[in-house]
Structures are given as C-alpha cells and as structure tokens.
Amino acid sequence: MSLQGRKVCCFVALPHHSRFMWPVMEQVRQAGAEILFFTTSSDYPFERDVLQRGLPCRLLQEYADAATRDKIAVTQREFFEQWQQRIFDWDGMKHWPLVLQSSLISQALEEYHCLQAFMEAEQPDLVLALHERNRWGKLLGHMCRQFGAAYLTFQEGDYYEDRLSFTGHTEYTTALLLWGRNTRECLLRHGASRNKIALIGNTHLANVEAQYFTEAQRRATCEELGLPRGKKVVLFLVGLQWGVVKNADLWQALLDGLGDEVVKVFKWHPKVSAHSFHTNQARMFQEHFPDCIVVQDFDAYRLLAVSDYCVTLGKTTLAVEALCFGRPLFSLPGLDGEGDHYASQGIAQSVAQPVGWQPLFDTMRNGVPARIQAQVDDYLDGFFFDRNKQALAKARSVIEVLLAEPAPALRQRRLQNDAVAGRVSFILPSGTDTRLFLQTLVSLAEKVDFPDWEAVVVLNHPAAAECLAAVAGDVTVVECDQRRLAALYNRGAQHASGEILVFLTPGLLYFRAGALLDTARQGVAGVTVRRPDGTVHSTGIRFDFNSDPVLSTAARLKPEAAGGGCLALARKVYEAAGGFDATLADHLIEADFCLAAREAGAAVMLADGAECLLAGRSEFIGPSWEEEDWPGRLRFFAKWRGRLPKSDDYLAYLASLADNAQRS
C-alpha cells in the first residue's frame, strides 16, 4: 500500500531509544509518506542523532510565535497562582526544592503550547514516539487525541520488573508495537489494552545482523579496538548499578581468575554521564586494569559482532539481545541485593562467587550446556516474536492499517426487504457450537410473545442446518461463508422484514422483553445479561482509561454503548449507521455500531426490564485473541481516533487493577 500524501512525524530522544524508530521511519519513507523528525530543547542534545544522519530535525520551540508565548505566560501565571496554595498540602512536596519544581513545570507548560502549535502547523496523520510513559509521551498522546492523529508507540527495552508507569502504557496509544509475548503478558498485568497491542519483534535487531555481522565490519571493529588475533573476546555489559562503581578492589575481585586467556571488553551503560565515565571508570581501569578495553559510546552491536561470550553485570537489554545473536551469556546480579535476573530464568550461567569463572571456561571447552540452550531457545521464542524476522514488514503493515481507515462517514445501507410495520426480526448467526445455537433458537420460540415476529438464521457452519429440524415455527434460513460476526449480522439483516431488528449471538437465551421495543424505536437498545446464578454479566459497554470498550455491570448503562451479545434497534438506525463493520474484530462491532449510530443522531440506552441469560460462550461471546486478528482490533482505534470516549479516573483504574490482581 502506498502512503503517498500522508505525513508521519517522529519524536526523537536518546539515541539508544530512537534506534527502534529509525528503520520504521525508513519503511514509511519508502512507502511514499512525507516524514519529519522533531524533538524538544533539553539538557541532552536529542537532535544530534538526527543531524548526524544528515536529516533535519525541528525543535518544538521553533513553532512558538507571539500568540503562543502569550499563552505560555498566561498558563504559567494561572498555574502557579494555584500551585502556591496547594504545594504544601502533600508532605512529599515539602522535600522537592521549589526551584526544581518551577523549572520542570514551566518547561512542561511551554512544551504543551509549543506542541499544540506544532500540530496546528504540521497536521500529521501519524506520530511516532518511543512510548507514552514520560511527560513527552503523554503530551504527544494527548495532543494526537485532540487533533485526531494516529499515535504509534514502541517497547522501550527489556521490561524486567513491574513498574507503576506500565499502567499508562496504552492510555492514548492507537497501536503499541511489542517485541514478543513476554512483554505483552507483563503489560497486560498492568492493565494495558490488549486490543492495541501488535507483536512484531524488535525493529532495530531486524537489521543488525546484515549491518554489523559482515566479515568486513568485524575486521574493521577489531582493528579499531586493537583486538589481538587468536584470543576469545569476552564482552562485559555493564548495567547502571555497576556502572557507577569507583572501587578498584571490587573490580579486582570480579576479574580475579579470568587471566590473560581472553580479551576483556567493557561496554558502559549509556546513562552513565560522560564526565563520570571519563574521570572515574575509564581512568581507574587505565591505572589498575590496563589490559581491559573500556568504552561507552562505541556501538554496542559492533561489539556483539566481535565478541564470543557476554557477561552481564546486572540488568541490561543488551543481555537478551546478545542471546539473540547466539552469544552465550554469563551473569552477575546487580548491587542492590536483588537476585541474578538472568540465571534465575535459566538463560545465563552465574559467575558469582564461589563458582567464579569456571562455567565460562567449561563453555569454552564444551559449548553451552544443553539445558541452558533449551531454556534460551524457549525464552527467545517468547521474547522476540518470530525471532524478529517479520518486524519491519509488520511494522509497515500496522502503519498501513492505522492510516488506511478514513474517519467514518455516515453511509446509507439500504435493506432489500420492505419493512412490515410492527414486526420484530431476530437475527441469529449459527456459529460453530450447534448446542448453544439450538439453545438460543429454542429460547426465542419459548419466550418471545410479540404479536408479529420472525427469526432469521444465518448458517455459517454445516452442522447447524441439522438442528433446525427440531425447531417448530417459521424460520428464515440464509447461508453465509463468512467468519466475521458483523458479516453474518449484515447478511441476516438483508433478509429481515422487521421494523425492529434484534441481533442476538448464540449462547444468550432470550428471557424477558421489558421495554425492549419502546427503547429500540428511539435508537439502539441494550439488555441486561445475567449469568446462570442470577448475577449481572453485562449491562452494556463502557470505555475505560485506555478508551477500550469493556463490559459494564453497572445498574444503569451510561451513555456510551450497548452490547454484551444482544442489540435491538430501529431499522432506520441500522441503515443510517451503515450496518456492522466487517473489518473489525467481533468483540468490537457493538461498540463501533453504537458510536456510528450516535453520530447518526440515534439514542443508545439500556432497555428497562429486558434480560437475556448467558448459557455458554460461543466464539462470538468474548474477545478472540488469535494473533492473526490484530488488524481487526487496531482498525477500531484507527477508525475512531480522537473521538473515543475515555475515563480519566486514573485512581479508579488502579483500584480495578488491584481488585483483578487480588481475585486472580
């Protein structure tokens, strides 16, 4: 698909973060989109990496004209007038120096208005950012929502531990690109929207082998570092906690026993300041350990290409990336008392005392132990989707999905049959579970007491036809070879003659009409769905902190969406809303239809006294998380970007996550 005529803007920050977005932006450029890199003024030159690549980079502050500066001044004045009154209400604020508060808050307020001016000037169709967990990510997400731009975010690195910030990973995001199942499961525990997640692999690593692991590149790296021939190279990946250690005795204890049999290369973590590295670690190693090669800014992937073994000192994303390129991993824990993260998962061999370097020497002689290699293979399968082979192609596919769906327009879908005044049409797809299908159909025969009604059955499974012989009454049967629930509903609607259409999924038993018809005549009516024990399963759909449509159990449906397996609506509403969108995942079509119906001017309500019983879960009840269905999930958020309802009650969101964790 061509992206000609589209504009994609990328917010860049630290180079070891932006590396994930560079290859994706190149895919976008090749597809014909106009691209733009931008950043903000900071204490680190974020724009340097872009400029070194020979590309222009705009600063947000460039977009501030006189009117923007006036807005910034007014906002700062109004904010600090209130802030001075509230600053001491919370004890924590008393320990945060006012000068630091003022600097950070003033900068954030400036960036807000400059970003607004940027969006007005550039009008991007899509914005890329690493993630929305920091202030820049949240500002970008908020502004994308305001301007209706798609917002594409990424995984930052190896998520080795639980963090509060993960709970806000998909608040504004349209699509989140993750490396693999391991990270997805971590983020789902923190309440991230599964609907917005696409597993693609690591976009940076997808190009690394071809770029760095050539014989010519390896030879150049060896010459630049002065690596002697004939010796094995051990690459030390220095995590943040080890990176600030200035005690030569501690480093001596680490190196004792390693000897001169191997070349020792130390790669410092990029977050250690250059001043600290050069005045402390580099100088200390030069004085006490001159046989070690110590670098900080040197490209880590060039080092991986020439290394034979890797030793991780604490946690670092490079450790798992080393495994990805077949480098045996050895590990030491951090210095905070926490256990050895990699050895505990069976993917690294510990070299902590009293074991020491014996596992390294054993591996040099005999290879990686079979049990370790088996664990590594399983771990990498979960960590990197398809071992990164599809990463760039799938990233481009995600962007095409996000930009291919235009803002929904009201489109008429005329039904082929004329409506019969007063008639109610129940539209029921068969699905593949013939038992549930038959139970739902029988419940209509037993419970429906309208003067004039019909059942329209849509068969998409051969075995369902045999069930119809056991059902008395007039049933219109149509066939459809589609799998999507929306397509089955639309096919049934084409053969319906009712003034009111009731769409019902197999697995729900029709029980009581209540005010169903009167409510449906006003627009779209939902019903209360109860479980067999009488508890409420659903009263419709609400939109949560992530703008995700989720089932609600509130006593009264809030004015967001009806759903849960049964929708009743006036025929004219179906036509005005354009029917159900068959490009979407099944569990999102009710919310989508209600949003379209509301745009067409219809009311969406819960019908008093109307009830169905949940007899069982057919394939249409509840989300389907098959990996290949990701486009149907993302299309919903792309279609309604900037217009989805959203709960901003973050504390209630956290409370619900805590409740779910306690129940599980």
Side-chain angles (χ1 to χ4, degrees):
M1 171 186 168
S2 171
L3 297 180
Q4 200 73 35
R6 301 288 192 171
K7 177 180 280 190
V8 177
C9 298
C10 179
F11 181 84
V12 292
L14 294 169
H16 67 284
H17 290 166
S18 298
R19 61 192 166 111
F20 304 118
M21 298 182 287
W22 281 111
V24 177
M25 287 294 284
E26 178 58 21
Q27 290 282 310
V28 168
R29 187 195 64 78
Q30 291 177 4
E34 177 187 353
I35 63 172
L36 174 66
F37 294 94
F38 70 105
T39 190
T40 185
S41 297
S42 179
D43 55 358
Y44 184 95
F46 292 152
E47 67 278 8
R48 185 179 66 179
D49 194 33
V50 184
L51 299 177
Q52 286 178 335
R53 293 172 185 262
L55 296 169
C57 184
R58 301 294 301 273
L59 292 178
L60 289 177
Q61 287 73 14
E62 296 178 46
Y63 292 83
D65 56 13
T68 303
R69 290 294 172 193
D70 287 343
K71 290 180 184 177
I72 294 170
V74 170
T75 303
Q76 289 178 341
R77 182 174 65 252
E78 292 179 351
F79 178 87
F80 282 107
E81 284 175 356
Q82 295 187 39
W83 189 247
Q84 292 175 42
Q85 304 301 318
R86 301 183 183 183
I87 190 171
F88 295 117
D89 290 347
W90 180 51
D91 185 66
M93 288 297 180
K94 301 174 186 176
H95 305 285
W96 188 18
L98 186 60
V99 64
L100 295 181
Q101 294 182 43
S102 177
S103 174
L104 182 61
I105 293 170
S106 295
Q107 187 175 3
L109 296 177
E110 176 187 78
E111 287 168 343
Y112 177 89
H113 288 292
C114 289
L115 179 57
Q116 189 173 50
F118 168 86
M119 297 292 285
E120 290 171 349
E122 299 295 348
Q123 294 291 313
D125 296 292
L126 184 142
V127 172
L128 274 72
L130 181 64
H131 58 68
E132 57 165 295
R133 291 162 47 218
N134 56 32
R135 82 166 189 266
W136 298 309
K138 288 300 178 190
L139 284 176
L140 288 165
H142 170 75
M143 208 60 71
C144 284
R145 179 178 170 88
Q146 278 197 4
F147 283 82
Y151 188 38
L152 184 65
T153 57
F154 296 73
Q155 173 179 340
E156 178 177 353
D158 186 355
Y159 291 178
Y160 2 78
E161 58 201 3
D162 291 340
R163 291 191 177 186
L164 181 63
S165 64
F166 291 164
T167 61
H169 216 312
T170 55
E171 179 183 4
Y172 295 110
T173 290
T174 313
L176 169 63
L177 305 184
L178 294 185
W179 295 355
R181 298 190 306 273
N182 292 12
T183 308
R184 179 180 65 190
E185 297 311 308
C186 169
L187 293 185
L188 292 181
R189 292 198 308 271
H190 291 78
S193 168
R194 187 164 188 165
N195 283 312
K196 297 180 178 181
I197 290 173
L199 301 184
I200 69 166
N202 185 312
T203 53
H204 175 64
L205 295 187
N207 281 337
V208 163
E209 193 156 10
Q211 182 177 355
Y212 292 94
F213 283 65
T214 65
E215 187 58 36
Q217 181 65 265
R218 285 173 170 164
R219 189 165 50 250
T221 301
C222 289
E223 291 176 359
E224 187 172 344
L225 292 175
L227 299 179
R229 294 182 179 181
K231 285 190 175 184
K232 298 293 185 180
V233 176
V234 178
L235 174 61
F236 288 79
L237 309 173
V238 183
L240 269 175
Q241 293 177 17
W242 281 87
V244 294
V245 172
K246 306 173 186 177
N247 186 332
D249 291 338
L250 185 56
W251 290 109
Q252 183 65 63
L254 169 67
L255 293 171
D256 278 347
L258 194 53
D260 298 327
E261 190 174 339
V262 298
V263 179
K264 302 175 282 292
V265 179
F266 283 77
K267 171 67 175 75
W268 242 252
H269 196 285
K271 276 193 175 180
V272 175
S273 72
H275 174 77
S276 174
F277 170 73
H278 288 292
T279 58
N280 297 310
Q281 284 80 7
R283 180 180 299 174
M284 175 182 58
F285 268 76
Q286 187 176 8
E287 293 176 1
H288 296 278
F289 315 107
D291 59 332
C292 295
I293 299 172
V294 183
V295 296
Q296 182 182 31
D297 286 337
F298 203 92
D299 194 319
Y301 301 96
R302 291 181 65 188
L303 298 176
L304 282 178
V306 299
S307 67
D308 298 288
Y309 309 95
C310 289
V311 180
T312 177
L313 307 182
K315 297 172 183 173
T316 171
T317 299
L318 272 171
V320 181
E321 294 177 335
L323 289 173
C324 185
F325 294 111
R327 301 305 186 254
L329 188 64
F330 302 86
S331 60
L332 283 165
L335 301 174
D336 56 359
E338 188 180 7
D340 189 325
H341 176 71
Y342 301 103
S344 66
Q345 298 182 80
I347 59 175
Q349 300 176 70
S350 174
V351 290
Q353 295 297 338
V355 177
W357 295 107
Q358 192 59 44
L360 172 64
F361 295 131
D362 290 344
T363 299
M364 291 171 67
R365 286 191 297 268
N366 306 316
V368 178
R371 62 176 181 81
I372 296 288
Q373 190 58 54
Q375 286 284 95
V376 167
D377 290 339
D378 288 344
Y379 187 84
L380 290 177
D381 284 341
F383 200 87
F384 294 117
F385 178 76
D386 196 35
R387 298 294 184 98
N388 307 318
K389 292 195 295 288
Q390 301 180 47
L392 294 181
K394 193 167 180 182
R396 176 168 170 171
S397 296
V398 168
I399 292 173
E400 289 173 350
V401 166
L402 298 186
L403 295 183
E405 187 69 49
L410 298 182
R411 56 203 186 284
Q412 297 291 324
R413 180 191 287 268
R414 291 290 301 170
L415 297 179
Q416 65 184 33
N417 291 338
D418 292 332
V420 176
R423 179 172 295 174
V424 180
S425 295
F426 288 86
I427 298 165
L428 173 65
S430 68
T432 59
D433 192 322
T434 56
R435 180 184 62 86
L436 291 177
F437 164 63
L438 183 58
Q439 284 182 303
T440 301
L441 189 57
V442 169
S443 75
L444 294 177
E446 292 179 346
K447 296 293 185 180
V448 175
D449 57 1
F450 301 136
D452 186 6
W453 68 280
E454 65 175 354
V456 179
V457 169
V458 185
L459 297 180
N460 71 320
H461 192 263
E466 301 174 9
C467 300
L468 296 178
V471 180
D474 186 19
V475 176
T476 300
V477 180
V478 297
E479 294 184 356
C480 183
D481 60 1
Q482 299 294 308
R483 184 175 67 92
R484 294 281 194 195
L485 179 60
L488 301 177
Y489 275 171
N490 290 336
R491 183 65 178 270
Q494 285 296 330
H495 293 267
S497 59
E499 186 180 46
I500 300 296
L501 308 178
V502 182
F503 296 90
L504 190 62
T505 56
L508 289 191
L509 307 184
Y510 181 83
F511 184 68
R512 181 183 295 118
L516 187 66
L517 294 190
D518 289 340
T519 308
R521 289 190 179 98
Q522 301 174 54
V524 183
V527 305
T528 298
V529 179
R530 296 189 181 276
R531 304 183 186 94
D533 63 2
T535 58
V536 174
H537 171 72
S538 167
T539 56
I541 294 171
R542 62 179 177 85
F543 291 86
D544 68 8
F545 179 73
N546 298 304
S547 292
D548 223 350
V550 296
L551 292 181
S552 173
T553 57
R556 294 284 300 178
L557 178 65
K558 301 297 182 183
E560 291 180 327
C566 180
L567 285 183
L569 48 116
R571 183 188 185 94
K572 62 183 179 181
V573 172
Y574 176 88
E575 293 180 332
F580 293 91
D581 189 340
T583 69
L584 305 183
D586 290 348
H587 63 282
L588 298 171
I589 66 169
E590 291 176 326
D592 173 74
F593 183 87
C594 289
L595 291 169
R598 197 181 299 282
E599 282 204 345
V604 178
M605 294 171 287
L606 179 68
D608 287 338
E611 292 186 357
C612 286
L613 301 180
L614 180 63
R617 294 181 180 272
S618 67
E619 67 264 39
F620 303 126
I621 296 180
S624 169
W625 300 121
E626 295 179 17
E627 189 54 43
E628 62 269 20
D629 282 346
W630 65 266
R633 296 191 285 269
L634 294 186
R635 282 192 187 102
F636 173 78
F637 296 95
K639 179 178 181 178
W640 294 101
R641 58 183 181 266
R643 292 177 296 159
L644 281 175
K646 179 186 184 307
S647 169
D648 283 319
D649 192 339
Y650 180 61
L651 293 181
Y653 172 64
L654 291 182
S656 69
L657 296 182
D659 290 343
N660 292 338
Q662 191 172 23
R663 283 196 295 270
S664 62

